[in-house]
Amino acid sequence: MQTIHVAEASPETAVLVDGGVVAAVGPYEDLVAVRPEARVRRWPGILTPGLLNPYAPELLEGMYHPDPREAEGFGTEPIPGERAQRIFRMDPSRRGASARRGVQRMLAHGTVAVAGELRSQAAADAVRRAGLAVGRRPDKLPGGPSFSPAPLILLPGLAPGGPARFAVFDVPDRAALVRLGPSTCIATVIGGRLVYRAR
C-alpha cells in the first residue's frame, strides 16, 4: 500500500512512499490528486530528509546505554568513558544490546544516517539491522559526541526512486529545528517503515 506523509508546516514537500522507495515528492494536493487511494499520515511540524550523526563510534561503542530495568544501578542516561568500558569488560554480551538501545536513541533524534568507523561487530550489526545509511564523516567535528550534534547535518533532499528515509520534527521551520535541536523529532521513517514515533 502506498502512503503519503505530509507535515503541517511543510505541505509543499509531502512524500508518496511505495514500499521502501520514494515514489513522488511534491505539494500534498498534487500527490493526493494522483494517488487518492493512498493512505495518509499527517504530522505536525516539518518533514525533512533526516539527519546524519557523525559520532557513531563514540555513541554506540564508547557509551553504555542502560536497559530501563537497570535504572536502579546505572540510571537511565548513557554512560561514557572508562565506566562504560568497565561494564563491557565485565559482560561483553552487553555490547549488542547497548548498541541497539543507542540506535533507538538516534532514531528518536531524527537520525537516518551515521558516520565514523565502527570497530565492533555488535555496533555495526545494530546500524545495519536498523537500516541506517552509512555516510562519510566530516573532516572536522566542531563539538563533542551528542545525539543532538551541532551543527546539524541534514541529508540531501528526497527524490523519486530514492530510499524512503526521512524524519519529521515538531517545529515550524528549519531555523527552529537548528535552534531547538533534533530532540523535537516526532517520527523517523527508514525503508518506508515508521521506526520511531513520539508518544
Side-chain angles (χ1 to χ4, degrees):
M1 171 180 260
Q2 294 183 323
T3 304
I4 297 172
H5 292 263
V6 59
E8 291 173 3
S10 60
E12 71 286 353
T13 55
V15 179
L16 175 63
V17 173
D18 189 355
V21 177
V22 172
V25 181
Y28 170 70
E29 292 80 6
D30 293 355
L31 298 187
V32 166
V34 174
R35 289 287 181 267
E37 74 283 1
R39 178 176 61 176
V40 176
R41 281 193 183 269
R42 297 179 185 277
W43 305 101
I46 61 171
L47 190 149
T48 75
L51 303 175
L52 179 141
N53 190 311
Y55 295 106
E58 292 84 354
L59 297 175
L60 301 180
E61 296 174 330
M63 292 184 176
Y64 178 65
H65 301 274
D67 186 295
R69 294 169 294 188
E70 299 175 313
E72 190 173 321
F74 292 127
T76 58
E77 293 302 308
I79 298 169
E82 180 53 34
R83 186 176 177 212
Q85 299 314 309
R86 275 200 313 274
I87 293 169
F88 291 140
R89 284 194 296 271
M90 286 178 359
D91 184 357
S93 67
R94 285 182 161 165
R95 285 189 181 275
S98 172
R100 288 190 296 275
R101 290 189 293 269
V103 164
Q104 286 302 313
R105 284 181 185 264
M106 287 182 160
L107 297 174
H109 285 77
T111 298
V112 298
V114 296
E117 183 183 356
L118 293 170
R119 298 178 184 277
S120 76
Q121 192 62 48
D125 285 347
V127 165
R128 180 181 49 78
R129 287 181 183 140
L132 289 166
V134 178
R136 184 174 166 277
R137 190 167 183 160
D139 294 331
K140 291 186 178 179
L141 298 175
S146 173
F147 291 99
S148 300
L152 297 180
I153 304 173
L154 270 172
L155 293 180
L158 299 169
R165 185 169 49 223
F166 51 89
V168 182
F169 298 90
D170 192 6
V171 292
D173 52 38
R174 287 193 179 191
L177 172 58
V178 170
R179 189 173 68 255
L180 299 173
S183 62
T184 56
C185 180
I186 55 170
T188 304
V189 172
I190 294 181
R193 297 180 300 111
L194 188 62
V195 294
Y196 169 75
R197 182 175 188 167
R199 293 177 181 172

